[in-house]
Amino acid sequence: MRGRPTLPALAVGILLTLLAASPALASSYRYWSFWDGAGGRWQYATQGPSSARPADGSVQGFRFAVSKDAAAEAAQPRAAAGFAAICGSTPAVEGRKRVALVVDFGLAADAPAGEAPPQEAPRTACAQVSPDATAAEALAEVAKPLRYDSAALLCGISGYPKQGCGEPMADAEPKPAQPSAPQSAAQDPSAQDPSDGGPSAGLLVGLAAVAALAAAAIWQSRRRTR
């Protein structure tokens, strides 16, 4: 006959369950993300700008922001992905291709310390380049200077930002408030969601229960030894 779990075993089981259920502290990054424009919408690019070779009539987007390095959570360019609106007035030339580019320098809240976006609204341009040109080469035609790190990661467009490249930022770190934005829960420490930082109320209660079970186990073991 199998015995019932002892109090110490129950305590360990509860603790492991609580630790497994508690969310891990993820990180976001401050970086230039790269996007493909398709059907008027943005899709997170599956290749880097140095390897992607867009076809004539393509739309490519770049967005600087603090966001997660994932398609579902990265910040998209804030301008529409429309080729006609950007390159419609640029005539086609034989032996060249046209690539519509959207460069979004992002928000002041995402800027590195001591810097600010060169302009508030996204910049659009039509690059006319050779048929085998990469997206990075098309970008260089309209938004120099570009800055790369030793791993060929795109770090700066048109000189912005001046330094830094994909540095991690803790998700729990509050972003600076935008001058025109209303105060929000993420900016007001007194109104923050408990899940945004520190242990949750449920986790604290669970840990207290584990401590109580452990104390009971010690008391029970002492009774048995008397």
Side-chain angles (χ1 to χ4, degrees):
M1 179 176 177
R2 301 176 63 183
R4 291 183 297 177
T6 62
L7 284 175
L10 285 172
V12 171
I14 293 173
L15 180 59
L16 291 175
T17 301
L18 288 170
L19 291 176
S22 61
L25 182 61
S27 291
S28 296
Y29 300 85
R30 180 187 283 121
Y31 70 107
W32 279 102
S33 57
F34 177 46
W35 301 80
D36 293 323
R41 297 184 179 183
W42 294 112
Q43 295 180 352
Y44 202 75
T46 57
Q47 298 183 71
S50 296
S51 57
R53 298 183 186 277
D56 179 66
S58 298
V59 185
Q60 308 279 205
F62 298 84
R63 169 71 190 269
F64 187 78
V66 173
S67 56
K68 293 192 175 179
D69 189 16
E73 299 184 66
Q76 298 183 6
R78 293 170 295 160
F83 179 81
I86 300 172
C87 288
S89 60
T90 302
V93 176
E94 187 176 355
R96 307 285 285 178
K97 67 180 178 182
R98 293 172 297 169
V99 180
L101 296 166
V102 174
V103 179
D104 189 341
F105 296 96
L107 307 174
D110 291 330
E115 296 195 55
Q119 60 186 64
E120 294 183 4
R123 179 188 302 174
T124 60
C126 185
Q128 202 160 47
V129 291
S130 62
D132 62 344
T134 64
E137 290 171 330
L139 179 65
E141 287 289 319
V142 299
K144 289 181 179 178
L146 306 182
R147 180 169 61 87
Y148 293 88
D149 70 358
S150 58
L153 178 67
L154 181 61
C155 304
I157 298 177
S158 294
Y160 179 77
K162 296 179 181 178
Q163 56 187 356
C165 193
E167 57 271 23
M169 301 181 67
D171 286 346
E173 181 181 331
K175 294 183 181 180
Q178 300 177 46
S180 59
Q183 190 77 357
S184 67
Q187 299 157 357
D188 183 3
S190 64
Q192 272 193 325
D193 188 331
S195 63
D196 288 341
S200 66
L203 180 58
L204 292 175
V205 171
L207 291 175
V210 170
L213 284 172
I218 294 171
W219 176 80
Q220 188 180 67
S221 64
R222 286 180 178 176
R223 285 190 60 190
R224 290 174 178 172
T225 58
R226 289 179 180 176

